[in-house]
Amino acid sequence: MKNLLGLLNDTIIVALVQTIARLPWESQQPQLIQWLVNPKLDLAAAAAAILSSRPESMDFRALVTGFDQQSPRTRRLYCVLLGKVLNRADARETLLRALQDRDDGVRWQANLAIYQGKWKDTRSVAAIVSRLATPMISWPPPPPIRWDAWARPR
């Protein structure tokens, strides 16, 4: 019964996230960004899924400005979101800087965002290649943070 209730709650959360993502959520963006730092991963992931539904509307400056002050988990979420706005110079700079982060998971997530963004400029490639000379992550790497299932309509 407990598993059934958990599945029901997950289904409800997914439906709510998908519904909110279709609504004009921009006025609630400060609250959504605040949820990214919530210790409850499901709330943080829900906020990230909503924000990533329209990256062009995302206040990437809030992510860039507060990046270094956040916990490793939040910095990883920020990397995923910043990977959605790669056309912004400061978002790119933050991801390149995240390649040097003190936390394995943040470095891994920044690499993944750069890879998924298909960056091919010389500076980005050089930044990633330079990481090969120094230990980058413990093995196995932490699993990437994903919420793709929440962002897709069923």
Side-chain angles (χ1 to χ4, degrees), residues 19-143:
T19 300
I20 293 168
R22 291 184 182 122
L23 296 172
W25 49 258
E26 288 80 2
S27 65
Q28 300 303 311
Q29 193 165 174
Q31 180 64 51
L32 292 169
I33 290 174
Q34 199 54 32
W35 286 354
L36 292 171
V37 303
N38 193 293
K40 289 185 170 186
L41 183 57
D42 54 348
L43 185 58
I50 293 165
L51 289 166
S52 71
S53 69
R54 283 196 297 277
E56 69 281 356
S57 298
M58 191 171 32
D59 181 8
F60 69 93
R61 282 179 210 80
L63 305 178
V64 167
T65 303
F67 187 87
D68 295 324
Q69 292 76 39
Q70 301 305 328
S71 70
R73 184 184 60 82
T74 302
R75 290 195 311 273
R76 289 182 69 194
L77 280 172
Y78 280 20
C79 284
V80 176
L81 290 170
L82 290 171
K84 307 279 183 193
V85 289
L86 295 176
N87 58 334
R88 307 290 193 164
D90 30 1
R92 290 176 71 97
E93 288 299 319
T94 302
L95 281 173
L96 288 172
R97 197 173 70 245
L99 291 173
Q100 307 297 325
D101 197 274
R102 64 191 170 278
D103 184 78
D104 293 1
V106 176
R107 292 191 305 269
W108 175 256
Q109 205 71 51
N111 270 298
L112 191 58
I114 291 168
Y115 168 75
Q116 290 172 338
K118 298 180 172 97
W119 293 13
K120 294 185 171 110
D121 62 285
T122 309
R123 186 166 174 237
S124 302
V125 173
I128 292 173
V129 171
S130 73
R131 295 300 301 160
L132 293 174
T134 59
M136 179 154 53
I137 56 173
S138 55
W139 199 258

